[in-house]
Amino acid sequence: MGVSRSMSKFAALCAVLAVLAACTQVDKEAAIKLADAGKTAATNGAAEAAAARAAFVAGGERSAALQLLGRAAAPVYTRQAEFDPPDQAANKRRLKIAAVLKQREASLASLAATYGEMAALASADPGANVRKAAADLVDKTNGLAAAVNALALPGLPVIPLIAKTAGAVFGEVAALYAEERQRQEILATNEIIRDALNVLRESLKRERIYVAAIRQEVAVARESLANAALNQGLVDQSAAVARIAELAGFAPVKDTTAAVAGARIDGDSEQKRRQRLVWALAGFEKFRAMAKADAVADANAALEKALEKLDAGHISLAERQPFGANEALALAMSIKEAVERIRAAEEGQ
């Protein structure tokens, strides 16, 4: 009789555990693939934010140099007082946008780390520390939302912060055995990442308002500065000439400074030729600057698409629906390709 009752209790417990397992069933293999795609996308997205931020910060100084060199070329300016440093207002706004990009870089780096821990958790790695990574993700992403809100134009609604802490989300995890806890923690991580993705996606939408025009401005300013500096004989174009020589398959041996010295479009035939060379080199600089700007824009667009696809994957994981991670991974790799183009453009500067 006692044995029968014990067996009945055991059967009831098994039934309860089976119900719990069914409630929190999660495809661990899908979670690992989703996490791998997410880590790749976030890592490359962080690299794109870092590259874009560097261009923004340098752009402020470039604009100031261009303004002052423009005055140096104009005979109407005859007093040193007319060469005071340009106003800082525009540069301060540029630095605020750079601060947003820095926060986005930090948020994406933290997202990559969280995805790494999520993959480890789904692989039953005992060293996985998804709670710590998720808490840092909430902190960094809320920092991004705050930075974007501080830059917002009047009338734009603020981006809401992630209200629920990682501790609160994981505090809801209550499991009777290890495998069930693993499933619940995967779903808890899934929930936190979705909250972070929502903030990141909204941030990228807001950035479009400010960033696209400034990227174009940065590219044009770089070309204009190169043109002004060349025309005033301040710099040579060894890097540009070396790149042209590399493309043509030969090594430059000429003095590139002398090649453009004395350039004047109203001078003799040799001075006119040198002036045309100045313009050709400046045009090449513009081409390279635009190539970098296009690569940054492509990386940003690819990141937006990847985050959208990842979010769909997290919805599928939460709803226990199948999800193909290949497309998300392909989008993540397209970010990497664009970032490599950015770096290639930087190396050729």
Side-chain angles (χ1 to χ4, degrees):
M1 190 73 175
V3 173
S4 177
R5 285 177 181 171
S6 296
M7 290 298 291
S8 297
K9 289 180 180 179
F10 179 73
L13 178 60
C14 287
V16 170
L17 294 177
V19 170
L20 287 173
C23 289
T24 56
Q25 190 60 43
V26 61
D27 186 339
K28 296 175 188 175
E29 189 63 32
I32 293 170
K33 289 182 179 179
L34 178 61
D36 287 344
K39 183 176 181 180
T40 301
T43 299
N44 293 325
E48 183 272 334
R53 180 165 59 89
F56 269 51
V57 172
E61 294 184 1
R62 187 180 290 116
S63 296
L66 181 59
Q67 184 176 336
L68 292 168
L69 279 180
R71 293 178 188 174
V76 295
Y77 293 101
T78 58
R79 295 178 299 113
Q80 185 175 354
E82 293 173 318
F83 290 83
D84 284 344
D87 184 71
Q88 288 284 336
N91 193 47
K92 285 179 180 177
R93 183 162 184 78
R94 187 189 300 272
L95 292 177
K96 284 184 179 179
I97 297 175
V100 169
L101 291 170
K102 184 175 183 179
Q103 286 290 344
R104 174 149 67 88
E105 180 187 355
S107 180
L108 285 164
S110 184
L111 178 62
T114 304
Y115 271 126
E117 296 300 328
M118 179 181 176
L121 174 65
S123 302
D125 182 347
N129 195 345
V130 73
R131 296 187 181 213
K132 181 180 178 182
D136 185 67
L137 176 60
V138 171
D139 179 63
K140 295 293 193 303
T141 305
N142 278 341
L144 172 62
V148 174
N149 289 336
L151 191 65
L153 296 171
L156 279 178
V158 299
I159 299 176
L161 303 183
I162 300 173
K164 208 171 186 181
T165 66
V169 175
F170 283 103
E172 295 172 357
V173 173
L176 298 176
Y177 59 102
E179 187 175 350
E180 177 63 12
R181 175 173 289 276
Q182 180 196 24
R183 293 191 188 105
Q184 289 193 23
E185 287 193 341
I186 290 172
L187 293 174
T189 306
N190 193 65
E191 178 185 340
I192 292 170
I193 289 177
R194 276 211 68 203
D195 286 341
L197 288 177
N198 288 335
V199 172
L200 278 162
R201 291 172 66 191
E202 187 58 35
S203 171
L204 286 168
K205 288 179 186 176
R206 301 290 180 87
E207 283 179 33
R208 287 198 214 115
I209 301 172
Y210 321 105
V211 174
I214 293 183
R215 279 186 184 143
Q216 184 73 14
E217 175 194 320
V218 165
V220 173
R222 176 182 161 186
E223 180 268 338
S224 298
L225 183 58
N227 186 57
L230 273 166
N231 275 300
Q232 296 186 47
L234 295 178
V235 295
D236 66 44
Q237 282 294 294
S238 297
V241 173
R243 178 58 178 156
I244 292 171
E246 180 186 353
L247 292 169
F250 57 80
V253 293
K254 288 184 175 290
D255 181 343
T256 53
T257 302
V260 297
R264 284 178 56 192
I265 199 59
D266 58 349
D268 59 32
S269 60
E270 178 59 19
Q271 287 174 315
K272 289 178 180 178
R273 185 192 67 78
R274 294 186 181 195
Q275 181 62 64
R276 291 193 297 272
L277 179 58
V278 168
W279 289 338
L281 291 172
F284 185 55
E285 285 295 339
K286 182 176 182 180
F287 172 81
R288 294 202 298 168
M290 293 304 297
K292 179 178 178 180
D294 288 346
V296 171
D298 289 348
N300 201 263
L303 177 61
E304 287 196 60
K305 290 178 182 177
L307 294 182
E308 182 180 355
K309 182 59 64 176
L310 288 169
D311 189 49
H314 287 287
I315 293 172
S316 297
L317 191 67
E319 295 178 350
R320 288 67 162 174
Q321 297 295 323
F323 169 70
N326 290 342
E327 189 176 355
L329 186 57
L331 286 167
M333 293 306 293
S334 69
I335 306 170
K336 182 180 180 181
E337 291 166 5
V339 170
E340 287 173 351
R341 296 208 321 269
I342 296 170
R343 288 172 177 160
E346 288 171 343
E347 289 169 1
Q349 285 181 354

